[in-house]
Amino acid sequence: MLSRVANSIYWLARYIERAENVARSIDVNLQLQLDLPGEERPWEPVIQIAGNADEFFKKYAHVSIENALMFLTFDKENPNSIISCVAAARENARCVRERISSELWVAINQFYLKLNDPEMPKEALAGPHAFYNSVKEFSQLTAGIIQGTMNHDVAWNFTHLGTLLERADQTSRILDVKYYILLPDVSMVGMALDTVQWNAVLKSVGAYEMFHRRNSNVTPHNVAEFLLLSEDFPRSLRFCLEKAEQCLKNIAYPVKSKAESIRLLGKLRSDIAFTTIEEIIDQGLHEHIEQVQIRLNELGNQIWKDFF
């Protein structure tokens, strides 16, 4: 496979996953407003998760629902907005149409055209829950199409690798922002408001029901353990890294079996797998996740060097 093709397929998947995660964070935050006092404060963490806080405050004097939704959803100058992610996914899909199924191209192209309808921002603001559900359904639709219509060969492994690494990055980022930014005061840990916010974190990564099947108490300890170390929840950091390592080995074998990216991913995966939540909290959850983020960035750069 040409490195250009591999790169497009990999980023196609990452951008679709990123759009879904932004939609999840926004939709949960809209529901969170019903349980939290005030309208504006809860939107700052969502902008922080997207990694574009500086750009937001260059454009807007204050944080409001309308400003946050427009910036995170329809701002084409924001590279992490939903419309920018879908546009980037479409462009990558266009470049590799011969390697993906026609069903996948049609699904991406149709949703891209829907987002670019001039009336769509008004419709999204009028019915935000329905709109953000449609973004999540688009991501899940494309995942099903990729799974069911593409050969499970090198191209499929690159798409799956992109999805898993983006998901690992977003799950760790959401958990970090909650722990480090979202809670107004440390004295509120364990109070009703704290429980509401931790449940919102679980919902933002689609983990609410699965978490409550395993745990009776919503505590920072239990939530962090589930989202970082669960072996079978598909959005946990550990699960994503283990499956990503399998994909990377499938891609690298046999030509690049000694690729440096395999070593970096294997070391990160083993460090997570053999770490307890008590060790993570003793180290500091924010500090631990910050190191994970740095290592994920290094891994992404190394994958680019090895294969693209």
Side-chain angles (χ1 to χ4, degrees):
M1 176 183 290
L2 294 174
S3 60
R4 172 188 61 80
V5 174
N7 184 55
S8 292
I9 291 175
Y10 171 81
W11 280 104
L12 156 68
R14 289 203 70 153
Y15 281 122
I16 292 175
E17 181 68 21
R18 189 173 301 176
E20 179 184 354
N21 281 300
V22 173
R24 284 181 176 277
S25 294
I26 293 172
D27 193 39
V28 169
N29 227 52
L30 288 168
Q31 299 175 44
L32 189 60
Q33 287 182 126
L34 302 175
D35 301 301
L36 292 177
E39 292 186 356
E40 298 176 0
R41 190 193 58 77
W43 290 101
E44 288 191 38
V46 180
I47 297 167
Q48 292 280 357
I49 290 169
N52 295 93
D54 292 341
E55 288 78 3
F56 176 85
F57 287 108
K58 287 178 183 177
K59 286 192 166 189
Y60 302 99
H62 66 283
V63 179
S64 67
I65 300 174
E66 292 77 10
N67 290 345
L69 293 187
M70 289 303 298
F71 180 74
L72 293 170
T73 308
F74 294 106
D75 190 336
K76 294 182 179 181
E77 294 181 3
N78 173 12
N80 291 324
S81 69
I82 290 174
I83 197 168
S84 293
C85 288
V86 173
R90 178 184 181 272
E91 178 60 22
N92 280 292
R94 187 189 64 79
C95 293
V96 292
R97 286 192 62 179
E98 74 282 359
R99 295 304 300 261
I100 63 175
S101 65
S102 59
E103 289 90 343
L104 180 58
W105 165 253
V106 168
I108 295 172
N109 191 51
Q110 285 182 341
F111 197 71
Y112 167 82
L113 296 174
K114 174 182 176 180
L115 287 181
N116 281 273
D117 185 328
E119 296 300 315
M120 187 50 62
K122 293 180 182 178
E123 292 182 23
L125 290 174
H129 294 297
F131 172 78
Y132 292 108
N133 275 333
S134 74
V135 178
K136 290 184 282 184
E137 289 169 358
F138 158 71
S139 177
Q140 292 157 3
L141 171 64
T142 57
I145 292 173
I146 290 169
Q147 181 71 15
T149 66
M150 287 180 62
N151 291 331
H152 286 210
D153 54 10
V154 173
W156 181 88
N157 277 285
F158 269 117
T159 62
H160 204 41
L161 176 66
T163 297
L164 291 164
L165 292 183
E166 184 67 30
R167 189 173 292 173
D169 177 78
Q170 291 296 320
T171 296
S172 62
R173 193 183 296 273
I174 288 170
L175 181 60
D176 185 38
V177 168
K178 163 62 181 85
Y179 204 85
Y180 193 67
I181 297 175
L182 190 56
L183 192 63
D185 191 290
V186 69
S187 64
M188 300 181 71
V189 172
M191 297 177 64
L193 177 59
D194 188 44
T195 301
V196 167
Q197 292 180 339
W198 281 111
N199 276 322
V201 171
L202 291 169
K203 290 176 181 177
S204 67
V205 292
Y208 181 80
E209 288 83 4
M210 297 304 105
F211 173 85
H212 283 282
R213 288 187 180 183
R214 295 277 181 88
N215 299 274
S216 56
N217 296 321
V218 181
T219 65
H221 179 287
N222 290 344
V223 173
E225 182 176 31
F226 188 76
L227 295 184
L228 293 177
L229 304 179
S230 173
E231 297 181 49
D232 46 19
F233 178 64
R235 290 182 177 271
S236 78
L237 178 64
R238 178 176 179 177
F239 184 96
C240 290
L241 293 177
E242 288 179 350
K243 298 302 181 184
E245 185 180 23
Q246 293 176 13
C247 290
L248 196 54
K249 287 180 177 179
N250 291 340
I251 291 166
Y253 180 82
V255 179
K256 292 182 178 287
S257 57
K258 296 183 180 180
E260 175 66 8
S261 53
I262 294 180
R263 188 190 71 80
L264 291 178
L265 180 51
K267 190 171 188 303
L268 177 57
R269 187 267 310 156
S270 63
D271 287 348
I272 295 296
F274 293 100
T275 299
T276 66
I277 191 61
E278 288 76 18
E279 291 172 330
I280 292 174
I281 292 177
D282 286 344
Q283 174 190 347
L285 182 60
H286 170 67
E287 290 75 14
H288 178 82
I289 293 177
E290 190 174 51
Q291 285 301 309
V292 169
Q293 289 281 320
I294 291 171
R295 293 172 72 178
L296 284 171
N297 288 335
E298 291 174 349
L299 173 61
N301 292 334
Q302 191 60 49
I303 288 173
W304 185 88
K305 292 177 183 178
D306 287 345
F307 301 104
F308 306 147

